[in-house]
């Protein structure tokens, strides 16, 4: 079986040498206090999406868009759970601005703005598509409608095959293809992709399909629709998102740098933009260090994910909590 190509890996909390933020709860924290943090993160994410929607226009700087949303999240008392993704047209996910990025949103494009907020490690993950041509209306509606259909059917015990089938049927009814190697996912404290992966297709070959959603758990649901025929994404050339796999305990100037970077960005996915890379020279130095750390497997990288047919992609995402009788949409 092919390993699900989820948005961000779940291996951080198992890492040998990382100062390990618990993936469950912090000591003595009540369920109600945890829920309160998820809800606060959700409120910030909702507002951040409104800002994203109002700022995203053809010609908008992608760097400014990412930074304004991230600084809004911080100003409101949250932290970005990962760099804001602004993925254009054939890029499905994982494009965030380079430190000195000059790219702007193209005319007649569709842009997926995917953002995460955490409070004390309790993460919500949500995305919208914004598009600038009426020709893209149906493509955008396909993933939005799929998301709504799936959420309408969420309750404890619902099977992944039911949810995947619903997403697939809805997207295909618009004449598009669901992306089969991007998944929704369970969320745990400081772990964006934990446990279950939630497909947007009902592929029998995939062993996860008979598993079920459980009450009290947090899940991100995120169908992608594409004009491509295969519904598959693969790694593109742009790489702007990294995450610590382990923090070195040996000495040496590179390892000292790694430790100082880790102190600045923590265990979740980050952007080199968050490491004071405001001048071209400084930014180049930081990128050199990041590449050395990636080669040594201290960091992992998340390349932008591109539709292999050159299809145009839409996405909508919500984070939800499964309740005893149904679902609470947090974002
Ligand atoms: Mn997301
Ligand atoms: Mn997600």
């Amino acid at each position: 079986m092919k390993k699900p190509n989820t948005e961000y890996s779940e291996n951080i909390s198992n890492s040998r040498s990382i100062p390990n933020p618990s993936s469950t709860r912090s000591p003595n924290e009540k369920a109600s206090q945890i829920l309160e943090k998820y809800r606060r993160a959700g409120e910030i994410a909702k507002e951040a999406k409104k800002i994203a929607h109002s700022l995203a226009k053809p010609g908008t700087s992608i760097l400014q868009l990412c930074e304004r949303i991230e600084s809004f999240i911080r100003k409101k008392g949250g932290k970005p759970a990962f760099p804001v993704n602004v993925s254009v047209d054939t890029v499905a996910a994982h494009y965030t601005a380079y430190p000195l990025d000059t790219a702007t949103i193209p005319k007649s494009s569709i842009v997926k703005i995917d953002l995460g907020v955490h409070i004390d490690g309790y993460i919500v993950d949500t995305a919208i598509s914004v598009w600038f041509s009426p020709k893209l209306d149906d493509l955008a509606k396909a993933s939005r409608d799929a998301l709504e259909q799936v959420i309408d059917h969420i309750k404890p015990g619902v099977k992944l095959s039911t949810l995947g089938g619903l997403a697939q049927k809805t997207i295909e009814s618009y004449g598009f293809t669901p992306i089969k190697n991007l998944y929704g996912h369970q969320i745990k404290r400081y772990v964006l992709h934990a446990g279950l992966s939630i497909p947007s297709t009902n592929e029998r070959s995939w062993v996860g399909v008979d598993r079920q959603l459980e009450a009290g758990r947090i899940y991100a649901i995120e169908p992608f629709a594409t004009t491509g025929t295969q519904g598959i994404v693969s790694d593109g050339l742009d790489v702007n998102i990294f995450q610590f796999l382990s923090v070195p305990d040996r000495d040496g100037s590179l390892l000292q740098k790694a430790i100082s970077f880790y102190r600045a960005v923590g265990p979740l996915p980050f952007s080199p933009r968050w490491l004071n890379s405001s001048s071209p020279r400084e930014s180049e130095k930081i990128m050199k260090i990041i590449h050395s750390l990636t080669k040594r497997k201290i960091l992992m990288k998340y390349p932008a994910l591109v539709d292999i047919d050159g299809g145009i992609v839409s996405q909508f995402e919500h984070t939800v909590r499964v309740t005893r009788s149904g679902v609470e949409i947090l974002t």
Side-chain angles (χ1 to χ4, degrees), residues 5 89-93 112 167-168 171 176-184 198-201 203 222-228 230-234 305-308 311-315:
N5 184 4
D89 289 343
T90 61
V91 183
K112 283 71 67 185
Q168 177 167 0
I171 289 168
F176 301 109
T177 310
I179 292 185
K180 57 181 122 176
N181 65 338
L182 287 172
Y183 298 83
I198 302 162
S200 297
T201 59
E203 295 221 345
E222 50 180 317
F224 291 75
T226 176
T227 63
Q230 297 175 87
I232 294 175
V233 294
S234 67
L305 297 171
V306 183
D307 185 288
I308 61 169
I312 308 291
V313 180
S314 74
Q315 171 214 18

mmCIF file of all heavy atoms in Angstrom, residues 5 89-93 112 167-168 171 176-184 198-201 203 222-228 230-234 305-308 311-315:
data_model
loop_
_atom_site.group_PDB
_atom_site.id
_atom_site.type_symbol
_atom_site.label_atom_id
_atom_site.label_comp_id
_atom_site.label_asym_id
_atom_site.label_seq_id
_atom_site.Cartn_x
_atom_site.Cartn_y
_atom_site.Cartn_z
ATOM 1 N N ASN A 5 -0.044 10.315 1.221
ATOM 2 C CA ASN A 5 0.765 11.515 1.076
ATOM 3 C C ASN A 5 0.041 12.664 1.769
ATOM 4 O O ASN A 5 -0.542 13.518 1.149
ATOM 5 C CB ASN A 5 0.942 11.782 -0.420
ATOM 6 C CG ASN A 5 1.847 12.951 -0.683
ATOM 7 O OD1 ASN A 5 2.407 13.524 0.237
ATOM 8 N ND2 ASN A 5 1.963 13.310 -1.937
ATOM 9 N N ASP A 89 -3.517 27.734 -8.938
ATOM 10 C CA ASP A 89 -3.885 26.918 -10.114
ATOM 11 C C ASP A 89 -3.467 25.445 -9.994
ATOM 12 O O ASP A 89 -4.084 24.701 -9.251
ATOM 13 C CB ASP A 89 -3.336 27.555 -11.404
ATOM 14 C CG ASP A 89 -4.078 28.843 -11.776
ATOM 15 O OD1 ASP A 89 -5.181 29.064 -11.247
ATOM 16 O OD2 ASP A 89 -3.547 29.630 -12.573
ATOM 17 N N THR A 90 -2.412 25.028 -10.697
ATOM 18 C CA THR A 90 -2.042 23.607 -10.720
ATOM 19 C C THR A 90 -1.350 23.157 -9.436
ATOM 20 O O THR A 90 -1.149 21.961 -9.228
ATOM 21 C CB THR A 90 -1.099 23.293 -11.901
ATOM 22 O OG1 THR A 90 0.089 24.058 -11.730
ATOM 23 C CG2 THR A 90 -1.730 23.673 -13.226
ATOM 24 N N VAL A 91 -0.944 24.112 -8.603
ATOM 25 C CA VAL A 91 -0.358 23.763 -7.303
ATOM 26 C C VAL A 91 -1.507 23.511 -6.336
ATOM 27 O O VAL A 91 -2.351 24.381 -6.128
ATOM 28 C CB VAL A 91 0.551 24.894 -6.765
ATOM 29 C CG1 VAL A 91 1.195 24.483 -5.451
ATOM 30 C CG2 VAL A 91 1.606 25.261 -7.803
ATOM 31 N N ALA A 92 -1.555 22.299 -5.790
ATOM 32 C CA ALA A 92 -2.668 21.947 -4.902
ATOM 33 C C ALA A 92 -2.437 22.478 -3.488
ATOM 34 O O ALA A 92 -3.362 22.920 -2.823
ATOM 35 C CB ALA A 92 -2.835 20.431 -4.870
ATOM 36 N N ALA A 93 -1.195 22.418 -3.027
ATOM 37 C CA ALA A 93 -0.909 22.767 -1.634
ATOM 38 C C ALA A 93 0.584 22.992 -1.431
ATOM 39 O O ALA A 93 1.394 22.691 -2.319
ATOM 40 C CB ALA A 93 -1.374 21.638 -0.711
ATOM 41 N N LYS A 112 -5.655 28.621 -3.494
ATOM 42 C CA LYS A 112 -6.042 27.936 -2.270
ATOM 43 C C LYS A 112 -5.280 28.588 -1.111
ATOM 44 O O LYS A 112 -4.049 28.576 -1.112
ATOM 45 C CB LYS A 112 -5.678 26.447 -2.313
ATOM 46 C CG LYS A 112 -6.590 25.566 -3.154
ATOM 47 C CD LYS A 112 -6.457 25.783 -4.645
ATOM 48 C CE LYS A 112 -5.096 25.332 -5.169
ATOM 49 N NZ LYS A 112 -4.950 25.670 -6.635
ATOM 50 N N ALA A 167 -17.519 12.401 -0.992
ATOM 51 C CA ALA A 167 -16.677 13.447 -1.599
ATOM 52 C C ALA A 167 -16.477 13.148 -3.084
ATOM 53 O O ALA A 167 -16.616 14.029 -3.937
ATOM 54 C CB ALA A 167 -15.327 13.528 -0.878
ATOM 55 N N GLN A 168 -16.174 11.888 -3.385
ATOM 56 C CA GLN A 168 -15.929 11.503 -4.778
ATOM 57 C C GLN A 168 -17.171 11.740 -5.647
ATOM 58 O O GLN A 168 -17.097 12.353 -6.715
ATOM 59 C CB GLN A 168 -15.523 10.032 -4.844
ATOM 60 C CG GLN A 168 -15.320 9.535 -6.272
ATOM 61 C CD GLN A 168 -14.612 8.185 -6.332
ATOM 62 O OE1 GLN A 168 -14.260 7.593 -5.303
ATOM 63 N NE2 GLN A 168 -14.389 7.717 -7.535
ATOM 64 N N ILE A 171 -17.827 15.543 -6.205
ATOM 65 C CA ILE A 171 -16.862 16.183 -7.120
ATOM 66 C C ILE A 171 -17.088 15.691 -8.553
ATOM 67 O O ILE A 171 -17.097 16.481 -9.505
ATOM 68 C CB ILE A 171 -15.427 15.932 -6.623
ATOM 69 C CG1 ILE A 171 -15.171 16.752 -5.347
ATOM 70 C CG2 ILE A 171 -14.398 16.287 -7.714
ATOM 71 C CD1 ILE A 171 -13.907 16.386 -4.583
ATOM 72 N N PHE A 176 -15.559 16.878 -12.346
ATOM 73 C CA PHE A 176 -14.139 16.967 -11.986
ATOM 74 C C PHE A 176 -13.668 15.697 -11.278
ATOM 75 O O PHE A 176 -14.454 14.787 -11.015
ATOM 76 C CB PHE A 176 -13.901 18.204 -11.112
ATOM 77 C CG PHE A 176 -14.300 19.473 -11.797
ATOM 78 C CD1 PHE A 176 -15.426 20.185 -11.393
ATOM 79 C CD2 PHE A 176 -13.576 19.943 -12.892
ATOM 80 C CE1 PHE A 176 -15.819 21.341 -12.060
ATOM 81 C CE2 PHE A 176 -13.956 21.098 -13.562
ATOM 82 C CZ PHE A 176 -15.081 21.798 -13.141
ATOM 83 N N THR A 177 -12.383 15.657 -10.971
ATOM 84 C CA THR A 177 -11.776 14.470 -10.361
ATOM 85 C C THR A 177 -11.327 14.804 -8.937
ATOM 86 O O THR A 177 -10.665 15.828 -8.731
ATOM 87 C CB THR A 177 -10.522 14.054 -11.185
ATOM 88 O OG1 THR A 177 -10.888 13.984 -12.567
ATOM 89 C CG2 THR A 177 -9.970 12.722 -10.723
ATOM 90 N N PRO A 178 -11.664 13.950 -7.956
ATOM 91 C CA PRO A 178 -11.121 14.176 -6.611
ATOM 92 C C PRO A 178 -9.642 13.780 -6.571
ATOM 93 O O PRO A 178 -9.253 12.821 -7.239
ATOM 94 C CB PRO A 178 -11.944 13.237 -5.731
ATOM 95 C CG PRO A 178 -12.419 12.148 -6.644
ATOM 96 C CD PRO A 178 -12.518 12.745 -8.030
ATOM 97 N N ILE A 179 -8.855 14.511 -5.815
ATOM 98 C CA ILE A 179 -7.441 14.124 -5.685
ATOM 99 C C ILE A 179 -7.353 13.004 -4.655
ATOM 100 O O ILE A 179 -7.823 13.128 -3.529
ATOM 101 C CB ILE A 179 -6.567 15.336 -5.324
ATOM 102 C CG1 ILE A 179 -6.564 16.286 -6.532
ATOM 103 C CG2 ILE A 179 -5.147 14.895 -4.959
ATOM 104 C CD1 ILE A 179 -5.661 17.469 -6.414
ATOM 105 N N LYS A 180 -6.760 11.895 -5.090
ATOM 106 C CA LYS A 180 -6.796 10.707 -4.236
ATOM 107 C C LYS A 180 -5.583 10.545 -3.349
ATOM 108 O O LYS A 180 -5.608 9.734 -2.432
ATOM 109 C CB LYS A 180 -7.046 9.449 -5.068
ATOM 110 C CG LYS A 180 -6.068 9.183 -6.185
ATOM 111 C CD LYS A 180 -6.468 7.908 -6.924
ATOM 112 C CE LYS A 180 -6.703 8.201 -8.386
ATOM 113 N NZ LYS A 180 -7.000 7.093 -9.223
ATOM 114 N N ASN A 181 -4.509 11.296 -3.587
ATOM 115 C CA ASN A 181 -3.372 11.168 -2.670
ATOM 116 C C ASN A 181 -3.163 12.412 -1.798
ATOM 117 O O ASN A 181 -2.063 12.705 -1.362
ATOM 118 C CB ASN A 181 -2.096 10.740 -3.397
ATOM 119 C CG ASN A 181 -1.588 11.776 -4.395
ATOM 120 O OD1 ASN A 181 -2.350 12.615 -4.865
ATOM 121 N ND2 ASN A 181 -0.315 11.723 -4.690
ATOM 122 N N LEU A 182 -4.247 13.131 -1.531
ATOM 123 C CA LEU A 182 -4.251 14.130 -0.453
ATOM 124 C C LEU A 182 -5.415 13.782 0.466
ATOM 125 O O LEU A 182 -6.498 13.446 -0.010
ATOM 126 C CB LEU A 182 -4.429 15.543 -1.018
ATOM 127 C CG LEU A 182 -3.215 16.122 -1.738
ATOM 128 C CD1 LEU A 182 -3.579 17.435 -2.416
ATOM 129 C CD2 LEU A 182 -2.057 16.326 -0.767
ATOM 130 N N TYR A 183 -5.187 13.885 1.759
ATOM 131 C CA TYR A 183 -6.154 13.362 2.717
ATOM 132 C C TYR A 183 -6.475 14.382 3.802
ATOM 133 O O TYR A 183 -5.624 15.181 4.191
ATOM 134 C CB TYR A 183 -5.568 12.134 3.439
ATOM 135 C CG TYR A 183 -5.247 10.991 2.512
ATOM 136 C CD1 TYR A 183 -4.054 10.962 1.808
ATOM 137 C CD2 TYR A 183 -6.155 9.948 2.341
ATOM 138 C CE1 TYR A 183 -3.752 9.923 0.951
ATOM 139 C CE2 TYR A 183 -5.864 8.897 1.486
ATOM 140 C CZ TYR A 183 -4.667 8.888 0.800
ATOM 141 O OH TYR A 183 -4.376 7.859 -0.048
ATOM 142 N N GLY A 184 -7.695 14.302 4.307
ATOM 143 C CA GLY A 184 -7.981 14.926 5.585
ATOM 144 C C GLY A 184 -7.272 14.099 6.662
ATOM 145 O O GLY A 184 -6.653 13.077 6.371
ATOM 146 N N ILE A 198 -8.127 10.757 6.052
ATOM 147 C CA ILE A 198 -9.514 10.713 5.581
ATOM 148 C C ILE A 198 -9.536 10.984 4.073
ATOM 149 O O ILE A 198 -9.271 12.097 3.633
ATOM 150 C CB ILE A 198 -10.360 11.759 6.345
ATOM 151 C CG1 ILE A 198 -10.267 11.471 7.855
ATOM 152 C CG2 ILE A 198 -11.813 11.741 5.859
ATOM 153 C CD1 ILE A 198 -10.677 12.630 8.732
ATOM 154 N N PRO A 199 -9.845 9.945 3.282
ATOM 155 C CA PRO A 199 -9.744 10.079 1.818
ATOM 156 C C PRO A 199 -10.916 10.853 1.224
ATOM 157 O O PRO A 199 -11.978 10.958 1.836
ATOM 158 C CB PRO A 199 -9.784 8.616 1.343
ATOM 159 C CG PRO A 199 -10.611 7.917 2.382
ATOM 160 C CD PRO A 199 -10.315 8.611 3.683
ATOM 161 N N SER A 200 -10.714 11.369 0.028
ATOM 162 C CA SER A 200 -11.809 11.994 -0.730
ATOM 163 C C SER A 200 -12.240 11.106 -1.891
ATOM 164 O O SER A 200 -12.830 11.570 -2.861
ATOM 165 C CB SER A 200 -11.373 13.369 -1.252
ATOM 166 O OG SER A 200 -11.095 14.216 -0.164
ATOM 167 N N THR A 201 -11.891 9.821 -1.800
ATOM 168 C CA THR A 201 -12.360 8.833 -2.776
ATOM 169 C C THR A 201 -12.733 7.585 -1.986
ATOM 170 O O THR A 201 -12.385 7.455 -0.813
ATOM 171 C CB THR A 201 -11.255 8.435 -3.781
ATOM 172 O OG1 THR A 201 -10.154 7.895 -3.053
ATOM 173 C CG2 THR A 201 -10.798 9.619 -4.606
ATOM 174 N N GLU A 203 -11.721 4.337 -2.565
ATOM 175 C CA GLU A 203 -10.900 3.309 -3.203
ATOM 176 C C GLU A 203 -10.807 2.098 -2.295
ATOM 177 O O GLU A 203 -10.254 2.175 -1.206
ATOM 178 C CB GLU A 203 -9.501 3.864 -3.482
ATOM 179 C CG GLU A 203 -9.555 4.968 -4.493
ATOM 180 C CD GLU A 203 -8.425 4.878 -5.486
ATOM 181 O OE1 GLU A 203 -7.459 4.139 -5.238
ATOM 182 O OE2 GLU A 203 -8.527 5.541 -6.522
ATOM 183 N N GLU A 222 -10.774 17.814 4.071
ATOM 184 C CA GLU A 222 -10.289 18.695 3.009
ATOM 185 C C GLU A 222 -10.284 18.053 1.627
ATOM 186 O O GLU A 222 -9.242 17.620 1.144
ATOM 187 C CB GLU A 222 -8.889 19.224 3.343
ATOM 188 C CG GLU A 222 -7.870 18.174 3.748
ATOM 189 C CD GLU A 222 -6.516 18.825 4.060
ATOM 190 O OE1 GLU A 222 -6.085 19.708 3.317
ATOM 191 O OE2 GLU A 222 -5.913 18.416 5.069
ATOM 192 N N PRO A 223 -11.455 18.004 0.992
ATOM 193 C CA PRO A 223 -11.476 17.495 -0.384
ATOM 194 C C PRO A 223 -10.834 18.470 -1.368
ATOM 195 O O PRO A 223 -10.993 19.684 -1.235
ATOM 196 C CB PRO A 223 -12.978 17.332 -0.678
ATOM 197 C CG PRO A 223 -13.667 18.225 0.282
ATOM 198 C CD PRO A 223 -12.792 18.374 1.486
ATOM 199 N N PHE A 224 -10.106 17.910 -2.334
ATOM 200 C CA PHE A 224 -9.539 18.692 -3.438
ATOM 201 C C PHE A 224 -10.200 18.200 -4.726
ATOM 202 O O PHE A 224 -10.332 16.991 -4.927
ATOM 203 C CB PHE A 224 -8.032 18.445 -3.576
ATOM 204 C CG PHE A 224 -7.177 18.998 -2.457
ATOM 205 C CD1 PHE A 224 -7.136 18.382 -1.210
ATOM 206 C CD2 PHE A 224 -6.375 20.114 -2.670
ATOM 207 C CE1 PHE A 224 -6.323 18.874 -0.194
ATOM 208 C CE2 PHE A 224 -5.562 20.613 -1.655
ATOM 209 C CZ PHE A 224 -5.530 19.999 -0.414
ATOM 210 N N ALA A 225 -10.574 19.138 -5.605
ATOM 211 C CA ALA A 225 -11.119 18.785 -6.927
ATOM 212 C C ALA A 225 -10.154 19.297 -7.982
ATOM 213 O O ALA A 225 -9.566 20.374 -7.825
ATOM 214 C CB ALA A 225 -12.488 19.432 -7.114
ATOM 215 N N THR A 226 -9.976 18.519 -9.062
ATOM 216 C CA THR A 226 -9.063 18.955 -10.123
ATOM 217 C C THR A 226 -9.694 18.762 -11.501
ATOM 218 O O THR A 226 -10.543 17.867 -11.680
ATOM 219 C CB THR A 226 -7.722 18.185 -10.053
ATOM 220 O OG1 THR A 226 -6.908 18.577 -11.172
ATOM 221 C CG2 THR A 226 -7.907 16.675 -10.115
ATOM 222 N N THR A 227 -9.248 19.574 -12.452
ATOM 223 C CA THR A 227 -9.647 19.381 -13.852
ATOM 224 C C THR A 227 -8.801 18.275 -14.492
ATOM 225 O O THR A 227 -9.063 17.887 -15.620
ATOM 226 C CB THR A 227 -9.481 20.674 -14.673
ATOM 227 O OG1 THR A 227 -8.094 21.032 -14.682
ATOM 228 C CG2 THR A 227 -10.290 21.828 -14.081
ATOM 229 N N GLY A 228 -7.777 17.805 -13.804
ATOM 230 C CA GLY A 228 -6.948 16.702 -14.312
ATOM 231 C C GLY A 228 -7.742 15.401 -14.324
ATOM 232 O O GLY A 228 -8.793 15.298 -13.679
ATOM 233 N N GLN A 230 -6.323 12.182 -13.614
ATOM 234 C CA GLN A 230 -5.861 11.127 -12.704
ATOM 235 C C GLN A 230 -6.134 11.437 -11.233
ATOM 236 O O GLN A 230 -6.283 10.532 -10.421
ATOM 237 C CB GLN A 230 -4.368 10.876 -12.919
ATOM 238 C CG GLN A 230 -4.068 10.353 -14.319
ATOM 239 C CD GLN A 230 -2.577 10.232 -14.561
ATOM 240 O OE1 GLN A 230 -1.983 9.211 -14.234
ATOM 241 N NE2 GLN A 230 -1.982 11.268 -15.102
ATOM 242 N N GLY A 231 -6.144 12.720 -10.887
ATOM 243 C CA GLY A 231 -6.370 13.084 -9.491
ATOM 244 C C GLY A 231 -5.184 12.722 -8.608
ATOM 245 O O GLY A 231 -5.338 12.178 -7.513
ATOM 246 N N ILE A 232 -3.994 13.047 -9.108
ATOM 247 C CA ILE A 232 -2.775 12.735 -8.335
ATOM 248 C C ILE A 232 -1.866 13.963 -8.321
ATOM 249 O O ILE A 232 -1.706 14.635 -9.341
ATOM 250 C CB ILE A 232 -2.035 11.524 -8.953
ATOM 251 C CG1 ILE A 232 -2.919 10.263 -8.809
ATOM 252 C CG2 ILE A 232 -0.671 11.287 -8.292
ATOM 253 C CD1 ILE A 232 -2.374 9.036 -9.474
ATOM 254 N N VAL A 233 -1.285 14.228 -7.148
ATOM 255 C CA VAL A 233 -0.284 15.297 -7.055
ATOM 256 C C VAL A 233 1.078 14.681 -6.766
ATOM 257 O O VAL A 233 1.174 13.582 -6.206
ATOM 258 C CB VAL A 233 -0.620 16.314 -5.931
ATOM 259 C CG1 VAL A 233 -1.883 17.083 -6.258
ATOM 260 C CG2 VAL A 233 -0.721 15.642 -4.567
ATOM 261 N N SER A 234 2.122 15.403 -7.193
ATOM 262 C CA SER A 234 3.472 14.966 -6.825
ATOM 263 C C SER A 234 4.313 16.194 -6.481
ATOM 264 O O SER A 234 3.881 17.335 -6.694
ATOM 265 C CB SER A 234 4.111 14.166 -7.957
ATOM 266 O OG SER A 234 4.337 15.015 -9.057
ATOM 267 N N LEU A 305 3.015 20.815 -3.842
ATOM 268 C CA LEU A 305 2.418 19.622 -4.466
ATOM 269 C C LEU A 305 1.643 20.050 -5.704
ATOM 270 O O LEU A 305 0.755 20.902 -5.630
ATOM 271 C CB LEU A 305 1.496 18.923 -3.458
ATOM 272 C CG LEU A 305 2.219 18.384 -2.219
ATOM 273 C CD1 LEU A 305 1.218 17.917 -1.169
ATOM 274 C CD2 LEU A 305 3.172 17.259 -2.606
ATOM 275 N N VAL A 306 1.993 19.436 -6.831
ATOM 276 C CA VAL A 306 1.472 19.881 -8.125
ATOM 277 C C VAL A 306 0.678 18.747 -8.775
ATOM 278 O O VAL A 306 1.090 17.580 -8.729
ATOM 279 C CB VAL A 306 2.651 20.297 -9.043
ATOM 280 C CG1 VAL A 306 2.138 20.841 -10.370
ATOM 281 C CG2 VAL A 306 3.537 21.328 -8.350
ATOM 282 N N ASP A 307 -0.444 19.087 -9.409
ATOM 283 C CA ASP A 307 -1.252 18.106 -10.142
ATOM 284 C C ASP A 307 -0.429 17.550 -11.304
ATOM 285 O O ASP A 307 0.093 18.309 -12.124
ATOM 286 C CB ASP A 307 -2.533 18.783 -10.653
ATOM 287 C CG ASP A 307 -3.466 17.789 -11.326
ATOM 288 O OD1 ASP A 307 -3.147 17.335 -12.445
ATOM 289 O OD2 ASP A 307 -4.494 17.465 -10.720
ATOM 290 N N ILE A 308 -0.316 16.230 -11.400
ATOM 291 C CA ILE A 308 0.585 15.647 -12.407
ATOM 292 C C ILE A 308 0.067 15.794 -13.842
ATOM 293 O O ILE A 308 0.836 15.685 -14.784
ATOM 294 C CB ILE A 308 0.915 14.149 -12.136
ATOM 295 C CG1 ILE A 308 -0.347 13.280 -12.168
ATOM 296 C CG2 ILE A 308 1.666 13.973 -10.829
ATOM 297 C CD1 ILE A 308 -0.018 11.784 -12.185
ATOM 298 N N GLY A 311 -3.601 19.764 -14.112
ATOM 299 C CA GLY A 311 -4.989 20.149 -13.824
ATOM 300 C C GLY A 311 -5.031 21.337 -12.870
ATOM 301 O O GLY A 311 -4.108 21.568 -12.095
ATOM 302 N N ILE A 312 -6.128 22.097 -12.957
ATOM 303 C CA ILE A 312 -6.359 23.229 -12.049
ATOM 304 C C ILE A 312 -7.102 22.674 -10.832
ATOM 305 O O ILE A 312 -8.049 21.893 -10.977
ATOM 306 C CB ILE A 312 -7.213 24.322 -12.730
ATOM 307 C CG1 ILE A 312 -6.609 24.728 -14.083
ATOM 308 C CG2 ILE A 312 -7.397 25.525 -11.817
ATOM 309 C CD1 ILE A 312 -5.323 25.469 -13.992
ATOM 310 N N VAL A 313 -6.685 23.107 -9.642
ATOM 311 C CA VAL A 313 -7.150 22.461 -8.403
ATOM 312 C C VAL A 313 -7.894 23.446 -7.495
ATOM 313 O O VAL A 313 -7.458 24.594 -7.340
ATOM 314 C CB VAL A 313 -5.932 21.878 -7.635
ATOM 315 C CG1 VAL A 313 -6.379 21.196 -6.345
ATOM 316 C CG2 VAL A 313 -5.149 20.906 -8.502
ATOM 317 N N SER A 314 -8.994 22.976 -6.887
ATOM 318 C CA SER A 314 -9.676 23.745 -5.838
ATOM 319 C C SER A 314 -9.702 22.935 -4.538
ATOM 320 O O SER A 314 -9.595 21.702 -4.564
ATOM 321 C CB SER A 314 -11.113 24.094 -6.260
ATOM 322 O OG SER A 314 -11.952 22.954 -6.201
ATOM 323 N N GLN A 315 -9.820 23.639 -3.428
ATOM 324 C CA GLN A 315 -9.840 22.971 -2.114
ATOM 325 C C GLN A 315 -10.614 23.824 -1.122
ATOM 326 O O GLN A 315 -10.517 25.059 -1.142
ATOM 327 C CB GLN A 315 -8.406 22.815 -1.590
ATOM 328 C CG GLN A 315 -8.290 22.323 -0.142
ATOM 329 C CD GLN A 315 -7.096 22.917 0.615
ATOM 330 O OE1 GLN A 315 -6.547 23.943 0.191
ATOM 331 N NE2 GLN A 315 -6.709 22.312 1.714
#
